Amino acid sequence: MLWIKALHIVFVASWFAGLFYLPRIFVNMAMETNPDINERLLVMARKLYRFMTLLMIPALVLGLGTMAFLTRLMRSSLLEIVHLDYVRTAKAKGLSDDRIAWRHVLPNAILPMVTMLGLQFGTLLGGSVVIESVFSLPGIGRLAFESVVNRDLNTLLGIVFMSALLVITVNLIVDLLYAQLDPRIEGA
């Protein structure tokens, strides 16, 4: 399962590269290809780059715990499924390791991760309250925190209602996705 580790490393490295360098590359390419580029487009690209670099640390703080948990869950799920009988049967039939991994192991190993990803969404939403307050970012989390401090119950009620609707929607999407990933589950 070395290829899974390599895929994970490539994914994380490409995410960081995209976060740091893509907006700057696009701005530089636009300036090189057309020196008379629209100034508004250039200003918007610079603002986008600044916005993405400012959000990097809060996104890492918010997502690293969940990413670590989901990575360990995926690893344990993969290790459990690799030793099941149908994987041994597929190896005995002579299927390639890639085909076994993509057709037999990964679809069954991803089910617990999809479930936990849906459950972790509420945790991420609650964590945004702390992250937005600590990093002084404007957002729903900070608005909720300020509503609690100022005892603005109407605003707080609206935020809780919208957050509950968002969590319910994400859980519905996860359930529908779960039914698509596992053909044994039939829609009711």
Side-chain angles (χ1 to χ4, degrees):
M1 290 296 153
L2 184 63
W3 65 273
I4 292 177
K5 292 179 183 177
L7 186 66
H8 183 63
I9 290 170
V10 167
F11 172 73
V12 170
S14 64
W15 182 79
F16 276 115
L19 187 64
F20 284 120
Y21 296 114
L22 279 181
R24 185 172 293 257
I25 288 170
F26 288 135
V27 169
N28 291 340
M29 281 176 36
M31 289 175 59
E32 289 173 3
T33 56
N34 187 3
D36 299 327
I37 192 167
N38 190 349
E39 189 65 30
R40 288 177 50 193
L41 180 64
L42 191 59
V43 168
M44 284 178 20
R46 286 185 179 145
K47 285 182 180 180
L48 175 67
Y49 176 74
R50 183 172 180 261
F51 178 72
M52 287 178 66
T53 55
L54 288 176
L55 284 183
M56 184 187 64
I57 293 176
L60 283 174
V61 170
L62 190 59
L64 275 179
T66 303
M67 186 181 78
F69 173 72
L70 290 175
T71 304
R72 287 183 59 88
L73 179 69
M74 186 67 173
R75 180 183 180 277
S76 66
S77 182
L78 282 171
L79 288 176
E80 178 184 338
I81 289 177
V82 164
H83 298 294
L84 292 178
D85 291 337
Y86 67 90
V87 176
R88 272 187 262 147
T89 304
K91 283 182 184 178
K93 282 182 169 180
L95 294 177
S96 68
D97 287 340
D98 289 342
R99 183 159 175 89
I100 292 170
W102 287 105
R103 298 277 297 168
H104 299 287
V105 175
L106 197 59
N108 291 311
I110 206 165
L111 295 175
M113 194 174 102
V114 168
T115 302
M116 289 310 294
L117 188 62
L119 293 174
Q120 288 292 320
F121 182 76
T123 305
L124 289 175
L125 198 59
S128 70
V129 174
V130 176
I131 296 298
E132 289 174 5
S133 297
V134 168
F135 289 102
S136 298
L137 296 172
I140 298 295
R142 186 166 179 183
L143 181 63
F145 179 73
E146 290 175 358
S147 298
V148 169
V149 170
N150 296 332
R151 296 177 193 255
D152 187 6
L153 296 180
N154 290 331
T155 305
L156 188 61
L157 205 68
I159 292 170
V160 169
F161 179 71
M162 292 306 290
S163 299
L165 282 179
L166 192 59
V167 168
I168 289 170
T169 304
V170 167
N171 283 330
L172 178 66
I173 291 170
V174 165
D175 286 344
L176 294 174
L177 184 64
Y178 205 87
Q180 287 293 325
L181 291 174
D182 192 0
R184 296 173 293 182
I185 298 174
E186 294 179 13

